[in-house]
């Protein structure tokens, strides 16, 4: 089922986030700010089911039914459940869409939806929320906690439905993100339809993969066909009372511990002390050959060229003077090398940084390092050679873009980055993955052929294309 509620709307409806400040200890005065939800994390197993629901309702119901055969981890659940969940969900997906699954789960994109299901159960049935692992709401007039209780609850609700004058007296209000089991009885009532012919709505609350969920799901799928019920499943739990301990799959608890950290939000601020004090320089005259303060036994020595001299001196205290000499030499060498840079050495610095990132084994990690420590890496970057291919690509892009302008292409189409939305980017990438899989599966095209088709699409949409590839 496709979710039509955007991330921002879900946050406003279901979230209340708290800012948590964590000052970093040490000499560096920094402030890390993260955004946490007021509820604990949700199960990765449940989030995997929601991922499949976004792709297709059939995939969701198939996955829920197959969880009964999901093997438990043979060792530590913390380390083995993640690949088990990915493998079980990916078995229902095409190749490119399956590649998006780990990223979406790690981003906790569906956690707000699962929290909404939990709150719906807690609001509608507050007493049972901590008493039973699973709960079936039958028409809003009867409940069942086990498969054995289900026939009685269905009979009670059917009697109430037969005596009702309007459908609203015994039906359950559904929401857009509900998972409705597809049967011919799921047709909504109209003004010309008698109230007694409206299908009875039955809502199952329970953790995916739990023993009671599997039993109730099997019973309700049969009843939905035989008794013309509208069967709705809302994954939720485990409840607060901990009654699911013997019912849950071993991997159902992965991801639920601790407050949920919301990805895509946060800031790191480095604070600088702007208070200056007038000092008498005469009291800080340096002795020849070194810094008097640095030679003090308890004075911090700092670092140079990647060496932490405080650590070195603590480990080799008998070599303190030799280490001080080494530090001074490295500092002088850095000063000399930085002083040797001329203006013309910096003219291609942007290209050189891009070349270094493009050649890295982990480009994103290096891009982060360069972005955060650029001044310290200028000397090294200035010696990077730039190949003709990168230089030509940059020159071609400069015909489309003005200096300092940024843009992003996904499969050749421009993606708006003027107001970044992490979850919108994820949804766009999932759409492109579905398209790629459809071209591969339907037309039997290989990856290179799919790329050429997408290039034609980008060209037809007006995105500039050069040498068979969209310019990025």
């Amino acid at each position: 089922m496709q979710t039509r509620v955007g991330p921002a709307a879900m946050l406003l409806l279901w979230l209340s986030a708290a800012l948590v400040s964590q000052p970093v200890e040490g000499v560096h005065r920094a402030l890390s700010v993260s955004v946490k939800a007021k509820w604990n994390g949700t199960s990765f197993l449940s989030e995997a089911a929601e991922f499949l629901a976004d792709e297709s309702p059939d995939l969701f119901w198939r996955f829920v039914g197959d969880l009964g055969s999901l093997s438990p981890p043979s060792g530590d659940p913390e380390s083995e459940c993640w690949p088990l969940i990915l493998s079980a969900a990916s078995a229902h997906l095409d190749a490119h869409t399956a590649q998006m699954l780990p990223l979406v789960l790690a981003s906790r994109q569906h956690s707000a939806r699962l929290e909404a299901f939990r709150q719906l159960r807690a609001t509608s049935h507050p007493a049972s929320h901590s008493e039973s692992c699973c709960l079936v709401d039958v028409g809003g007039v009867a409940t069942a906690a086990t498969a054995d209780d289900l026939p009685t609850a269905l009979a009670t609700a059917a009697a109430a439905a037969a005596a009702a004058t309007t459908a609203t007296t015994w039906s359950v209000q559904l929401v857009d993100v509900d998972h409705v089991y597809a049967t011919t009885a799921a047709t909504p009532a109209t003004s010309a339809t008698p109230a007694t012919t409206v299908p009875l709505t039955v809502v199952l609350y329970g953790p995916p993969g739990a023993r009671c969920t599997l039993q109730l799901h099997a019973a309700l799928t049969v009843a939905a066909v035989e008794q013309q019920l509208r069967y709705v499943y809302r994954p939720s739990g485990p409840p607060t009372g901990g009654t699911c301990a013997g019912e849950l799959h071993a991997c159902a608890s992965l991801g639920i511990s601790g407050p949920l950290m919301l990805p895509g939000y946060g800031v790191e601020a480095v604070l600088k002390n702007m208070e200056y004090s007038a000092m008498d320089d005469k009291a800080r005259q340096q002795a020849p050959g070194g810094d008097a303060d640095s030679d003090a036994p308890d004075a911090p020595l700092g670092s140079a060229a990647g060496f932490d001299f405080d650590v070195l001196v603590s480990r080799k205290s008998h070599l303190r003077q030799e280490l001080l000499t080494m530090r001074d030499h490295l500092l002088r060498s850095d000063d000399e090398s930085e002083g040797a840079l001329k203006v013309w050495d910096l003219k291609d610095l942007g290209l050189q940084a891009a070349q270094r990132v493009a050649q890295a084994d982990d480009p994103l990690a290096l891009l982060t390092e360069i972005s955060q420590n650029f001044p310290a890496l200028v000397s090294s970057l200035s010696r990077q050679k730039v190949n003709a291919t990168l230089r030509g690509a940059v020159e071609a892009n400069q015909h489309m873009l003005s200096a300092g302008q940024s843009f992003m292409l996904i499969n050749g189409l421009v993606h708006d980055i003027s107001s970044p939305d992490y979850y919108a980017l994820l949804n766009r990438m999932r759409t492109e993955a579905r398209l790629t899989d459809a071209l591969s599966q339907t037309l039997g095209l290989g990856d290179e052929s799919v790329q050429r088709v997408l290039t034609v699409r980008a060209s037809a949409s007006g995105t500039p294309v050069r040498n068979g590839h969209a310019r990025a």
Side-chain angles (χ1 to χ4, degrees), residues 65 134 141 174 179 190 208 353 467:
C134 301
V141 297
L174 302 185
H179 306 296
T190 63
N467 294 334

Side-chain angles (χ1 to χ4, degrees), residues 321-357:
Q321 293 304 322
E322 288 81 357
L323 289 172
L324 287 174
T325 302
M326 176 183 173
R327 182 204 61 176
D328 294 339
H329 172 73
L330 292 175
L331 290 175
R332 284 194 297 269
S333 298
D334 288 344
D335 293 339
E336 292 172 0
S337 62
E338 292 177 2
L341 289 176
K342 306 299 181 183
V343 174
W344 50 84
D345 293 326
L346 307 179
K347 62 177 181 147
D348 289 335
L349 198 57
L351 288 175
Q352 290 166 322
Q355 184 73 66
R356 182 75 62 86
V357 171

Side-chain angles (χ1 to χ4, degrees), residues 260-273:
L260 178 69
M261 186 79 71
L262 300 179
Y265 303 86
V267 63
E268 181 176 345
V270 178
L271 307 181
K272 180 181 179 182
N273 186 0

